[in-house]
Amino acid sequence: MKRILVIDGGAARGIICTAFLKELEIKIGKPLYEIFDLIVGTSVGGIIGGVLSIGKINAQELHALMYKFVYKIFNPNFFWIPFLTSKYNNSNFDSIFTQYIGENLLLSDLLVKFVCTSVNKIDGKTHYFKSWEEKDGKIKLLDAIKRTSAAPYYFKHIRENGNVWLDGGTGNANCPLLEAIIDITKLGWLEDNINILSLGTGYTTNNKSYKDAIKFGSLGDLLCYMYPLEGGLARNQTVSTNLILLNTFSKYYPKFVFNRVDGELDREIYGTDKIKYIDKYQEIGKSWINKININFLKGN
């Protein structure tokens, strides 16, 4: 049996994921890095997945670290100018990661196969960094997860060797389920029983009244497409399409088990950096453990 964990982006709402994974680890009775064969993540999902893939820090320890330092990471720059400078300082995360993880760990050093996504502003494409591939294996874990979590407006883009990296969630690959399927195929795992756990960070509905929908004409249409509600309308649709595809696939392919854990959040608490609701996020993540039967992750 092969077990795959896929973690969405969501910035500060990543606490929902770590709280859930902490409860999952307690119920299973062993560290998650001993359970999963592949972890795929985008943005904060890439941070969570990358740290778990090291094989030394369990979900309980990771949740404690994220909860402790979220206010330091989301501490606005003193000279922040909206849309001209980044709201938060990347170096805050760098210093915490270096202190508790180390800055020289390579992707090839990870004990669990790991993938994270990032968008290169130069070519406009989503790139997938895979720990088991020779070229990507030479990338430092810190550099890989800085690329995947460089959320525009909030954190500064990452410039490296003529490339400009943006958060993996800026592309249509915010829900990297299809990449997980591609990797499962390339790794030759399709003959095994496949169990995928896909973990979201909450969502809100984007329903509009007719009056609101026709406001501002073409400009309103453009804003609807681009509005950063989980990356814009196009990416929202991509996520839902991927979920339909995976659920359909699991229905007709008996060796494939797919579980999605996510939930609707009140608009008040939904956001990229609403850290004042961090305790609420923690409660939500803890409650989500009741959404699944963990027996699908057990067995041979």
PDB file of all heavy atoms in Angstrom, residues 55-81:
ATOM      1  N   GLY A  55      11.701  13.652   8.450  1.00  0.00           N
ATOM      2  CA  GLY A  55      11.763  12.390   9.178  1.00  0.00           C
ATOM      3  C   GLY A  55      12.293  12.522  10.589  1.00  0.00           C
ATOM      4  O   GLY A  55      12.706  11.527  11.193  1.00  0.00           O
ATOM      5  N   LYS A  56      12.282  13.736  11.123  1.00  0.00           N
ATOM      6  CA  LYS A  56      12.762  13.958  12.485  1.00  0.00           C
ATOM      7  C   LYS A  56      11.760  14.724  13.338  1.00  0.00           C
ATOM      8  O   LYS A  56      11.754  14.589  14.559  1.00  0.00           O
ATOM      9  CB  LYS A  56      14.092  14.719  12.461  1.00  0.00           C
ATOM     10  CG  LYS A  56      15.238  13.953  11.820  1.00  0.00           C
ATOM     11  CD  LYS A  56      16.527  14.763  11.839  1.00  0.00           C
ATOM     12  CE  LYS A  56      17.674  13.991  11.184  1.00  0.00           C
ATOM     13  NZ  LYS A  56      18.937  14.775  11.168  1.00  0.00           N
ATOM     14  N   ILE A  57      10.943  15.542  12.692  1.00  0.00           N
ATOM     15  CA  ILE A  57       9.975  16.372  13.413  1.00  0.00           C
ATOM     16  C   ILE A  57       8.571  15.828  13.163  1.00  0.00           C
ATOM     17  O   ILE A  57       8.145  15.712  12.010  1.00  0.00           O
ATOM     18  CB  ILE A  57      10.068  17.835  12.951  1.00  0.00           C
ATOM     19  CG1 ILE A  57      11.438  18.399  13.306  1.00  0.00           C
ATOM     20  CG2 ILE A  57       8.961  18.678  13.575  1.00  0.00           C
ATOM     21  CD1 ILE A  57      11.658  19.820  12.849  1.00  0.00           C
ATOM     22  N   ASN A  58       7.870  15.481  14.229  1.00  0.00           N
ATOM     23  CA  ASN A  58       6.521  14.951  14.044  1.00  0.00           C
ATOM     24  C   ASN A  58       5.505  16.088  13.962  1.00  0.00           C
ATOM     25  O   ASN A  58       5.833  17.262  14.146  1.00  0.00           O
ATOM     26  CB  ASN A  58       6.163  13.951  15.154  1.00  0.00           C
ATOM     27  CG  ASN A  58       6.161  14.573  16.544  1.00  0.00           C
ATOM     28  OD1 ASN A  58       5.800  15.736  16.737  1.00  0.00           O
ATOM     29  ND2 ASN A  58       6.566  13.788  17.537  1.00  0.00           N
ATOM     30  N   ALA A  59       4.276  15.733  13.668  1.00  0.00           N
ATOM     31  CA  ALA A  59       3.236  16.733  13.462  1.00  0.00           C
ATOM     32  C   ALA A  59       2.934  17.521  14.725  1.00  0.00           C
ATOM     33  O   ALA A  59       2.608  18.723  14.659  1.00  0.00           O
ATOM     34  CB  ALA A  59       1.967  16.059  12.950  1.00  0.00           C
ATOM     35  N   GLN A  60       3.036  16.883  15.869  1.00  0.00           N
ATOM     36  CA  GLN A  60       2.781  17.585  17.125  1.00  0.00           C
ATOM     37  C   GLN A  60       3.822  18.671  17.371  1.00  0.00           C
ATOM     38  O   GLN A  60       3.495  19.794  17.783  1.00  0.00           O
ATOM     39  CB  GLN A  60       2.768  16.584  18.281  1.00  0.00           C
ATOM     40  CG  GLN A  60       1.686  15.510  18.129  1.00  0.00           C
ATOM     41  CD  GLN A  60       1.733  14.459  19.211  1.00  0.00           C
ATOM     42  OE1 GLN A  60       1.499  14.765  20.379  1.00  0.00           O
ATOM     43  NE2 GLN A  60       2.035  13.224  18.838  1.00  0.00           N
ATOM     44  N   GLU A  61       5.070  18.351  17.087  1.00  0.00           N
ATOM     45  CA  GLU A  61       6.146  19.329  17.264  1.00  0.00           C
ATOM     46  C   GLU A  61       6.020  20.467  16.251  1.00  0.00           C
ATOM     47  O   GLU A  61       6.235  21.638  16.584  1.00  0.00           O
ATOM     48  CB  GLU A  61       7.499  18.633  17.120  1.00  0.00           C
ATOM     49  CG  GLU A  61       7.794  17.632  18.229  1.00  0.00           C
ATOM     50  CD  GLU A  61       8.973  16.727  17.913  1.00  0.00           C
ATOM     51  OE1 GLU A  61       9.214  16.440  16.713  1.00  0.00           O
ATOM     52  OE2 GLU A  61       9.647  16.291  18.872  1.00  0.00           O
ATOM     53  N   LEU A  62       5.672  20.120  15.019  1.00  0.00           N
ATOM     54  CA  LEU A  62       5.523  21.132  13.980  1.00  0.00           C
ATOM     55  C   LEU A  62       4.382  22.092  14.301  1.00  0.00           C
ATOM     56  O   LEU A  62       4.511  23.307  14.127  1.00  0.00           O
ATOM     57  CB  LEU A  62       5.285  20.466  12.624  1.00  0.00           C
ATOM     58  CG  LEU A  62       5.011  21.407  11.450  1.00  0.00           C
ATOM     59  CD1 LEU A  62       6.148  22.410  11.273  1.00  0.00           C
ATOM     60  CD2 LEU A  62       4.797  20.611  10.168  1.00  0.00           C
ATOM     61  N   HIS A  63       3.278  21.554  14.769  1.00  0.00           N
ATOM     62  CA  HIS A  63       2.143  22.415  15.129  1.00  0.00           C
ATOM     63  C   HIS A  63       2.538  23.384  16.239  1.00  0.00           C
ATOM     64  O   HIS A  63       2.200  24.574  16.183  1.00  0.00           O
ATOM     65  CB  HIS A  63       0.953  21.574  15.577  1.00  0.00           C
ATOM     66  CG  HIS A  63      -0.211  22.398  16.045  1.00  0.00           C
ATOM     67  ND1 HIS A  63      -0.967  23.177  15.194  1.00  0.00           N
ATOM     68  CD2 HIS A  63      -0.733  22.592  17.292  1.00  0.00           C
ATOM     69  CE1 HIS A  63      -1.898  23.807  15.882  1.00  0.00           C
ATOM     70  NE2 HIS A  63      -1.787  23.469  17.149  1.00  0.00           N
ATOM     71  N   ALA A  64       3.272  22.902  17.222  1.00  0.00           N
ATOM     72  CA  ALA A  64       3.704  23.760  18.327  1.00  0.00           C
ATOM     73  C   ALA A  64       4.603  24.886  17.829  1.00  0.00           C
ATOM     74  O   ALA A  64       4.479  26.039  18.272  1.00  0.00           O
ATOM     75  CB  ALA A  64       4.429  22.926  19.382  1.00  0.00           C
ATOM     76  N   LEU A  65       5.483  24.573  16.876  1.00  0.00           N
ATOM     77  CA  LEU A  65       6.379  25.592  16.326  1.00  0.00           C
ATOM     78  C   LEU A  65       5.600  26.642  15.536  1.00  0.00           C
ATOM     79  O   LEU A  65       5.840  27.847  15.681  1.00  0.00           O
ATOM     80  CB  LEU A  65       7.425  24.936  15.433  1.00  0.00           C
ATOM     81  CG  LEU A  65       8.574  24.210  16.136  1.00  0.00           C
ATOM     82  CD1 LEU A  65       9.442  23.477  15.114  1.00  0.00           C
ATOM     83  CD2 LEU A  65       9.422  25.186  16.946  1.00  0.00           C
ATOM     84  N   MET A  66       4.680  26.186  14.684  1.00  0.00           N
ATOM     85  CA  MET A  66       3.909  27.131  13.872  1.00  0.00           C
ATOM     86  C   MET A  66       3.032  28.015  14.748  1.00  0.00           C
ATOM     87  O   MET A  66       2.922  29.223  14.518  1.00  0.00           O
ATOM     88  CB  MET A  66       3.074  26.381  12.841  1.00  0.00           C
ATOM     89  CG  MET A  66       3.902  25.781  11.718  1.00  0.00           C
ATOM     90  SD  MET A  66       2.923  25.148  10.344  1.00  0.00           S
ATOM     91  CE  MET A  66       2.169  26.652   9.712  1.00  0.00           C
ATOM     92  N   TYR A  67       2.415  27.423  15.731  1.00  0.00           N
ATOM     93  CA  TYR A  67       1.559  28.195  16.632  1.00  0.00           C
ATOM     94  C   TYR A  67       2.384  29.236  17.405  1.00  0.00           C
ATOM     95  O   TYR A  67       1.950  30.370  17.618  1.00  0.00           O
ATOM     96  CB  TYR A  67       0.847  27.262  17.613  1.00  0.00           C
ATOM     97  CG  TYR A  67      -0.168  27.961  18.491  1.00  0.00           C
ATOM     98  CD1 TYR A  67      -1.478  28.152  18.053  1.00  0.00           C
ATOM     99  CD2 TYR A  67       0.183  28.435  19.747  1.00  0.00           C
ATOM    100  CE1 TYR A  67      -2.413  28.798  18.859  1.00  0.00           C
ATOM    101  CE2 TYR A  67      -0.737  29.086  20.552  1.00  0.00           C
ATOM    102  CZ  TYR A  67      -2.037  29.262  20.105  1.00  0.00           C
ATOM    103  OH  TYR A  67      -2.947  29.909  20.904  1.00  0.00           O
ATOM    104  N   LYS A  68       3.591  28.863  17.789  1.00  0.00           N
ATOM    105  CA  LYS A  68       4.453  29.740  18.580  1.00  0.00           C
ATOM    106  C   LYS A  68       4.948  30.928  17.767  1.00  0.00           C
ATOM    107  O   LYS A  68       5.014  32.058  18.283  1.00  0.00           O
ATOM    108  CB  LYS A  68       5.643  28.948  19.114  1.00  0.00           C
ATOM    109  CG  LYS A  68       6.633  29.772  19.920  1.00  0.00           C
ATOM    110  CD  LYS A  68       7.777  28.900  20.431  1.00  0.00           C
ATOM    111  CE  LYS A  68       8.785  29.727  21.231  1.00  0.00           C
ATOM    112  NZ  LYS A  68       9.906  28.882  21.734  1.00  0.00           N
ATOM    113  N   PHE A  69       5.268  30.693  16.486  1.00  0.00           N
ATOM    114  CA  PHE A  69       5.962  31.717  15.716  1.00  0.00           C
ATOM    115  C   PHE A  69       5.104  32.415  14.664  1.00  0.00           C
ATOM    116  O   PHE A  69       5.609  33.241  13.910  1.00  0.00           O
ATOM    117  CB  PHE A  69       7.194  31.115  15.042  1.00  0.00           C
ATOM    118  CG  PHE A  69       8.288  30.754  16.009  1.00  0.00           C
ATOM    119  CD1 PHE A  69       8.610  29.427  16.244  1.00  0.00           C
ATOM    120  CD2 PHE A  69       8.971  31.748  16.689  1.00  0.00           C
ATOM    121  CE1 PHE A  69       9.616  29.094  17.143  1.00  0.00           C
ATOM    122  CE2 PHE A  69       9.983  31.427  17.585  1.00  0.00           C
ATOM    123  CZ  PHE A  69      10.309  30.095  17.822  1.00  0.00           C
ATOM    124  N   VAL A  70       3.817  32.113  14.584  1.00  0.00           N
ATOM    125  CA  VAL A  70       2.987  32.706  13.542  1.00  0.00           C
ATOM    126  C   VAL A  70       2.949  34.236  13.649  1.00  0.00           C
ATOM    127  O   VAL A  70       2.928  34.951  12.631  1.00  0.00           O
ATOM    128  CB  VAL A  70       1.561  32.113  13.570  1.00  0.00           C
ATOM    129  CG1 VAL A  70       0.807  32.532  14.825  1.00  0.00           C
ATOM    130  CG2 VAL A  70       0.800  32.502  12.319  1.00  0.00           C
ATOM    131  N   TYR A  71       2.998  34.761  14.867  1.00  0.00           N
ATOM    132  CA  TYR A  71       2.950  36.214  15.030  1.00  0.00           C
ATOM    133  C   TYR A  71       4.254  36.870  14.584  1.00  0.00           C
ATOM    134  O   TYR A  71       4.255  38.009  14.125  1.00  0.00           O
ATOM    135  CB  TYR A  71       2.652  36.579  16.487  1.00  0.00           C
ATOM    136  CG  TYR A  71       1.226  36.291  16.881  1.00  0.00           C
ATOM    137  CD1 TYR A  71       0.894  35.109  17.515  1.00  0.00           C
ATOM    138  CD2 TYR A  71       0.213  37.197  16.590  1.00  0.00           C
ATOM    139  CE1 TYR A  71      -0.425  34.835  17.860  1.00  0.00           C
ATOM    140  CE2 TYR A  71      -1.112  36.932  16.942  1.00  0.00           C
ATOM    141  CZ  TYR A  71      -1.415  35.741  17.574  1.00  0.00           C
ATOM    142  OH  TYR A  71      -2.720  35.464  17.908  1.00  0.00           O
ATOM    143  N   LYS A  72       5.355  36.147  14.708  1.00  0.00           N
ATOM    144  CA  LYS A  72       6.634  36.688  14.256  1.00  0.00           C
ATOM    145  C   LYS A  72       6.707  36.685  12.731  1.00  0.00           C
ATOM    146  O   LYS A  72       7.204  37.632  12.116  1.00  0.00           O
ATOM    147  CB  LYS A  72       7.794  35.884  14.837  1.00  0.00           C
ATOM    148  CG  LYS A  72       9.168  36.418  14.435  1.00  0.00           C
ATOM    149  CD  LYS A  72      10.294  35.658  15.107  1.00  0.00           C
ATOM    150  CE  LYS A  72      11.653  36.241  14.702  1.00  0.00           C
ATOM    151  NZ  LYS A  72      12.776  35.514  15.353  1.00  0.00           N
ATOM    152  N   ILE A  73       6.202  35.616  12.126  1.00  0.00           N
ATOM    153  CA  ILE A  73       6.226  35.517  10.669  1.00  0.00           C
ATOM    154  C   ILE A  73       5.323  36.571  10.042  1.00  0.00           C
ATOM    155  O   ILE A  73       5.684  37.213   9.053  1.00  0.00           O
ATOM    156  CB  ILE A  73       5.797  34.096  10.236  1.00  0.00           C
ATOM    157  CG1 ILE A  73       6.840  33.082  10.690  1.00  0.00           C
ATOM    158  CG2 ILE A  73       5.600  34.022   8.722  1.00  0.00           C
ATOM    159  CD1 ILE A  73       6.421  31.634  10.506  1.00  0.00           C
ATOM    160  N   PHE A  74       4.140  36.763  10.626  1.00  0.00           N
ATOM    161  CA  PHE A  74       3.183  37.746  10.104  1.00  0.00           C
ATOM    162  C   PHE A  74       3.253  39.053  10.897  1.00  0.00           C
ATOM    163  O   PHE A  74       2.244  39.579  11.358  1.00  0.00           O
ATOM    164  CB  PHE A  74       1.768  37.167  10.124  1.00  0.00           C
ATOM    165  CG  PHE A  74       1.553  36.080   9.122  1.00  0.00           C
ATOM    166  CD1 PHE A  74       1.692  34.748   9.475  1.00  0.00           C
ATOM    167  CD2 PHE A  74       1.242  36.379   7.804  1.00  0.00           C
ATOM    168  CE1 PHE A  74       1.501  33.735   8.555  1.00  0.00           C
ATOM    169  CE2 PHE A  74       1.059  35.380   6.864  1.00  0.00           C
ATOM    170  CZ  PHE A  74       1.194  34.057   7.241  1.00  0.00           C
ATOM    171  N   ASN A  75       4.465  39.559  11.020  1.00  0.00           N
ATOM    172  CA  ASN A  75       4.703  40.847  11.671  1.00  0.00           C
ATOM    173  C   ASN A  75       4.994  41.867  10.585  1.00  0.00           C
ATOM    174  O   ASN A  75       6.036  41.812   9.931  1.00  0.00           O
ATOM    175  CB  ASN A  75       5.889  40.736  12.635  1.00  0.00           C
ATOM    176  CG  ASN A  75       6.153  42.039  13.367  1.00  0.00           C
ATOM    177  OD1 ASN A  75       5.250  42.841  13.569  1.00  0.00           O
ATOM    178  ND2 ASN A  75       7.407  42.245  13.749  1.00  0.00           N
ATOM    179  N   PRO A  76       4.078  42.820  10.321  1.00  0.00           N
ATOM    180  CA  PRO A  76       4.230  43.728   9.176  1.00  0.00           C
ATOM    181  C   PRO A  76       5.525  44.532   9.198  1.00  0.00           C
ATOM    182  O   PRO A  76       6.001  44.936  10.267  1.00  0.00           O
ATOM    183  CB  PRO A  76       3.010  44.654   9.304  1.00  0.00           C
ATOM    184  CG  PRO A  76       2.017  43.872  10.098  1.00  0.00           C
ATOM    185  CD  PRO A  76       2.836  43.069  11.060  1.00  0.00           C
ATOM    186  N   ASN A  77       6.096  44.721   8.012  1.00  0.00           N
ATOM    187  CA  ASN A  77       7.258  45.578   7.878  1.00  0.00           C
ATOM    188  C   ASN A  77       6.913  47.001   8.310  1.00  0.00           C
ATOM    189  O   ASN A  77       5.832  47.516   7.999  1.00  0.00           O
ATOM    190  CB  ASN A  77       7.739  45.601   6.426  1.00  0.00           C
ATOM    191  CG  ASN A  77       8.417  44.308   6.028  1.00  0.00           C
ATOM    192  OD1 ASN A  77       9.199  43.751   6.795  1.00  0.00           O
ATOM    193  ND2 ASN A  77       8.119  43.822   4.831  1.00  0.00           N
ATOM    194  N   PHE A  78       7.845  47.636   9.000  1.00  0.00           N
ATOM    195  CA  PHE A  78       7.603  48.991   9.511  1.00  0.00           C
ATOM    196  C   PHE A  78       7.388  49.971   8.361  1.00  0.00           C
ATOM    197  O   PHE A  78       6.566  50.884   8.442  1.00  0.00           O
ATOM    198  CB  PHE A  78       8.780  49.438  10.386  1.00  0.00           C
ATOM    199  CG  PHE A  78       8.587  50.773  11.029  1.00  0.00           C
ATOM    200  CD1 PHE A  78       7.761  50.906  12.135  1.00  0.00           C
ATOM    201  CD2 PHE A  78       9.217  51.897  10.521  1.00  0.00           C
ATOM    202  CE1 PHE A  78       7.566  52.154  12.725  1.00  0.00           C
ATOM    203  CE2 PHE A  78       9.035  53.137  11.104  1.00  0.00           C
ATOM    204  CZ  PHE A  78       8.209  53.262  12.212  1.00  0.00           C
ATOM    205  N   PHE A  79       8.134  49.791   7.273  1.00  0.00           N
ATOM    206  CA  PHE A  79       8.041  50.697   6.129  1.00  0.00           C
ATOM    207  C   PHE A  79       7.231  50.076   4.985  1.00  0.00           C
ATOM    208  O   PHE A  79       7.523  50.304   3.814  1.00  0.00           O
ATOM    209  CB  PHE A  79       9.444  51.063   5.627  1.00  0.00           C
ATOM    210  CG  PHE A  79      10.238  51.871   6.610  1.00  0.00           C
ATOM    211  CD1 PHE A  79      11.299  51.302   7.293  1.00  0.00           C
ATOM    212  CD2 PHE A  79       9.903  53.190   6.869  1.00  0.00           C
ATOM    213  CE1 PHE A  79      12.027  52.040   8.208  1.00  0.00           C
ATOM    214  CE2 PHE A  79      10.630  53.935   7.792  1.00  0.00           C
ATOM    215  CZ  PHE A  79      11.694  53.361   8.469  1.00  0.00           C
ATOM    216  N   TRP A  80       6.225  49.311   5.342  1.00  0.00           N
ATOM    217  CA  TRP A  80       5.399  48.658   4.328  1.00  0.00           C
ATOM    218  C   TRP A  80       4.577  49.674   3.546  1.00  0.00           C
ATOM    219  O   TRP A  80       3.880  50.513   4.120  1.00  0.00           O
ATOM    220  CB  TRP A  80       4.460  47.648   5.005  1.00  0.00           C
ATOM    221  CG  TRP A  80       3.420  47.070   4.090  1.00  0.00           C
ATOM    222  CD1 TRP A  80       3.623  46.510   2.863  1.00  0.00           C
ATOM    223  CD2 TRP A  80       2.009  46.985   4.337  1.00  0.00           C
ATOM    224  NE1 TRP A  80       2.441  46.075   2.325  1.00  0.00           N
ATOM    225  CE2 TRP A  80       1.421  46.364   3.204  1.00  0.00           C
ATOM    226  CE3 TRP A  80       1.188  47.367   5.394  1.00  0.00           C
ATOM    227  CZ2 TRP A  80       0.058  46.117   3.107  1.00  0.00           C
ATOM    228  CZ3 TRP A  80      -0.171  47.113   5.302  1.00  0.00           C
ATOM    229  CH2 TRP A  80      -0.727  46.499   4.177  1.00  0.00           C
ATOM    230  N   ILE A  81       4.693  49.614   2.220  1.00  0.00           N
ATOM    231  CA  ILE A  81       3.900  50.457   1.319  1.00  0.00           C
ATOM    232  C   ILE A  81       3.058  49.516   0.463  1.00  0.00           C
ATOM    233  O   ILE A  81       3.611  48.781  -0.368  1.00  0.00           O
ATOM    234  CB  ILE A  81       4.780  51.325   0.411  1.00  0.00           C
ATOM    235  CG1 ILE A  81       5.723  52.184   1.249  1.00  0.00           C
ATOM    236  CG2 ILE A  81       3.912  52.213  -0.488  1.00  0.00           C
ATOM    237  CD1 ILE A  81       6.719  52.971   0.423  1.00  0.00           C
TER     238      ILE A  81
END
